[in-house]
Amino acid sequence: MSADAPARPAVLPAVHRPVRRVRPGMLLSPLRRLIGVDEELLERVPQERARYTWYGAIVLNTALLGGASMALAFATVRDELPVPVVVSVGVVWFWVVLALDAWLVSGTHGVLSRGRLKSLLPRLALSLLVGLTIAEPLLLQIFDKEIHQQTAAGNTRDADAYRGMLVSCNPPDGADTTTRAGCGGYQLNVPGSPASVHRQIQDTTARATALQAQLQSLHKTLSAKQDAERRECDDPAKWIYGANGRHDVGDTCLRARADADDYRRTSNISTYESELATLTEQSRTLTAKEASAGATYRPALDRAIAAKTRDHAAHLDDSGLLTRANALGEVAWSDWYAGFVAVVLHLLLLAVDALPVLVKLMSPSTAYDRLLTAQLDATRRLHTADLHLHHASTAVLHEADLHEATRTAAARMSRLDHGLRLEQAERTAEFRAELEMRAARILRGAP
């Protein structure tokens, strides 16, 4: 073989193998393709077709169960969502579960008994994790009636406890409870309580008493000034003879009278007397109000407590996921049999959700698995042989290229050496010719 010939043909000759045609009209083949079954290979063992058809149906049913479970969860927890949104969420979750289970199952084909457990345990763990998200909404729906009863009872207990704190922190007499421990945020502002009316009476009485004492002092001072005015103005002996020929009061009387008038004006006695009268009237009104405050305040307080309790009860959560989960826990562990039923149903739903991997784990190696394993081994061997052939061909081509490069380099070096020798010969000839010319000139110039 010449060095220029390729080490291997550009296109390998096709290997003619007998082709097994898949029977047309197999309506259930999409179920098998869903889990990655090779129909051409399955034709070699048609007895396994029913097994893998039902296997694909299990994967599809699990995805449908997951989509329905998520739709129920959203419809229950977020009941304000429109139906198209809930359906869209269910469809998306159905596709997620279907893709995940199909991937989990398609990777288990061809796994023989000796490596089955090691290969399937991680897939089983992932399948159980997905099963938990599917089983919980279904379990909440199964115990929906008991959960609603438990939630309603819990909310009732919460509302009763809240009402009890309101009653305790808002006594019927309206006494102040701001300093009582645990009453922070439970005080109600209901006007007209007997205690507040009594405090108003005390404040009014204290103000009236202080004002009365102040008025007594002012009246005492005013009386002294008025007595001084009378002494200076009522005694004829202190009158003076005026320019009009009549007797009149003197300057001392005028000063005393002006002093009394000025004090009456600047001391605000009239204002204080009017305020004292108003306070006295308010005290009588508040006293009468205190007598009837107990009869009017108690109904108003009861209405305020009832309204506050209704508002608190209206804001209690009865459909949240965590609230329903807590209620399910209380229902499940209320007695041993309820807990047993909850655990059994939970395990059953979890097993159904993890059924695609569990079925593979419980089933022995099938003829399809052995054929697929043999086909994969043959493919690996062919690939290895092809790699060896490719490497050998590459090595031969590399050797040929190296030999060609070596020959080319040697020829080029030979040409370069020949050219160099020619140049040297030319330069030598030119040098000799020059010497001969000079020698001739020297000889011609000799005597």
Side-chain angles (χ1 to χ4, degrees), residues 11-49:
V11 180
L12 293 176
V15 178
H16 297 284
R17 298 186 180 93
V19 178
R20 294 179 178 268
R21 297 185 178 275
V22 180
R23 290 187 307 166
M26 292 189 296
L27 298 179
L28 298 179
S29 60
L31 290 176
R32 296 189 293 272
R33 287 198 298 270
L34 181 66
I35 57 175
V37 174
D38 186 355
E39 290 290 333
E40 183 179 351
L41 186 61
L42 189 62
E43 276 294 303
R44 301 174 184 269
V45 281
Q47 298 81 6
E48 301 287 346
R49 187 176 292 114

Side-chain angles (χ1 to χ4, degrees), residues 146-165:
E146 291 79 5
I147 288 173
H148 276 298
Q149 292 176 350
Q150 185 66 32
T151 303
N155 289 344
T156 301
R157 290 193 300 269
D158 192 342
D160 290 343
Y162 184 78
R163 186 179 185 281
M165 290 299 299

Side-chain angles (χ1 to χ4, degrees), residues 11-325:
V11 180
L12 293 176
V15 178
H16 297 284
R17 298 186 180 93
V19 178
R20 294 179 178 268
R21 297 185 178 275
V22 180
R23 290 187 307 166
M26 292 189 296
L27 298 179
L28 298 179
S29 60
L31 290 176
R32 296 189 293 272
R33 287 198 298 270
L34 181 66
I35 57 175
V37 174
D38 186 355
E39 290 290 333
E40 183 179 351
L41 186 61
L42 189 62
E43 276 294 303
R44 301 174 184 269
V45 281
Q47 298 81 6
E48 301 287 346
R49 187 176 292 114
R51 176 196 298 270
Y52 285 98
T53 301
W54 287 114
Y55 202 0
I58 290 174
V59 173
L60 181 61
N61 290 338
T62 302
L64 289 173
L65 190 64
S69 174
M70 190 57 65
L72 285 175
F74 269 78
T76 302
V77 178
R78 301 292 299 274
D79 53 359
E80 73 278 5
L81 291 177
V83 175
V85 175
V86 175
V87 173
S88 300
V89 171
V91 170
V92 170
W93 187 244
F94 159 76
W95 170 249
V96 170
V97 175
L98 181 64
L100 183 59
D101 283 345
W103 172 77
L104 288 173
V105 171
S106 62
T108 62
H109 300 318
V111 179
L112 300 180
S113 300
R114 60 179 180 272
R116 181 180 296 270
L117 187 62
K118 182 179 178 180
S119 175
L120 293 181
L121 278 182
R123 290 178 171 84
L124 179 61
L126 184 58
S127 181
L128 290 175
L129 182 61
V130 175
L132 285 174
T133 62
I134 298 176
E136 291 303 321
L138 293 177
L139 200 64
L140 293 176
Q141 289 298 318
I142 292 174
F143 291 98
D144 183 68
K145 183 177 180 180
E146 291 79 5
I147 288 173
H148 276 298
Q149 292 176 350
Q150 185 66 32
T151 303
N155 289 344
T156 301
R157 290 193 300 269
D158 192 342
D160 290 343
Y162 184 78
R163 186 179 185 281
M165 290 299 299
L166 291 177
V167 172
S168 175
C169 296
N170 297 277
D173 58 354
D176 186 16
T177 59
T178 54
T179 58
R180 185 186 299 179
C183 284
Y186 289 98
Q187 286 84 14
L188 298 177
N189 186 17
V190 180
S193 65
S196 64
V197 174
H198 184 70
R199 285 193 296 270
Q200 291 177 6
I201 292 175
Q202 289 179 339
D203 295 340
T204 304
T205 302
R207 174 60 181 162
T209 302
L211 191 58
Q212 190 173 10
Q214 185 178 3
L215 281 174
Q216 288 178 356
S217 175
L218 294 176
H219 279 298
K220 183 178 180 181
T221 303
L222 180 61
S223 297
K225 292 182 179 296
Q226 288 176 344
D227 291 342
E229 179 187 357
R230 283 193 294 270
R231 286 195 303 269
E232 296 296 331
C233 297
D234 294 344
D235 187 3
K238 297 183 179 182
W239 292 355
I240 61 174
Y241 188 76
N244 55 3
R246 299 179 57 183
H247 289 83
D248 200 356
V249 296
D251 292 339
T252 305
C253 172
L254 293 176
R255 286 195 297 272
R257 183 177 297 169
D259 186 31
D261 293 339
D262 185 64
Y263 184 78
R264 183 183 293 107
R265 184 177 61 256
T266 58
S267 61
N268 296 323
I269 292 179
S270 300
T271 303
Y272 290 150
E273 288 177 345
S274 176
E275 184 179 356
L276 180 60
T278 302
L279 290 175
T280 303
E281 182 63 25
Q282 287 181 357
S283 180
R284 286 195 294 267
T285 302
L286 290 174
T287 301
K289 185 178 180 180
E290 184 182 17
S292 60
T296 58
Y297 175 74
R298 183 59 181 269
L301 178 62
D302 291 341
R303 288 192 298 270
I305 290 176
K308 194 72 174 179
T309 303
R310 285 194 302 270
D311 182 69
H312 177 76
H315 288 84
L316 292 177
D317 184 21
D318 59 351
S319 61
L321 183 60
L322 293 179
T323 301
R324 291 171 61 83

Side-chain angles (χ1 to χ4, degrees), residues 412-426:
R412 186 176 180 183
M413 290 178 64
S414 178
R415 289 193 298 271
L416 290 174
D417 290 340
H418 179 69
L420 181 61
R421 285 193 297 271
L422 289 177
E423 291 178 358
Q424 290 177 349
E426 291 176 356

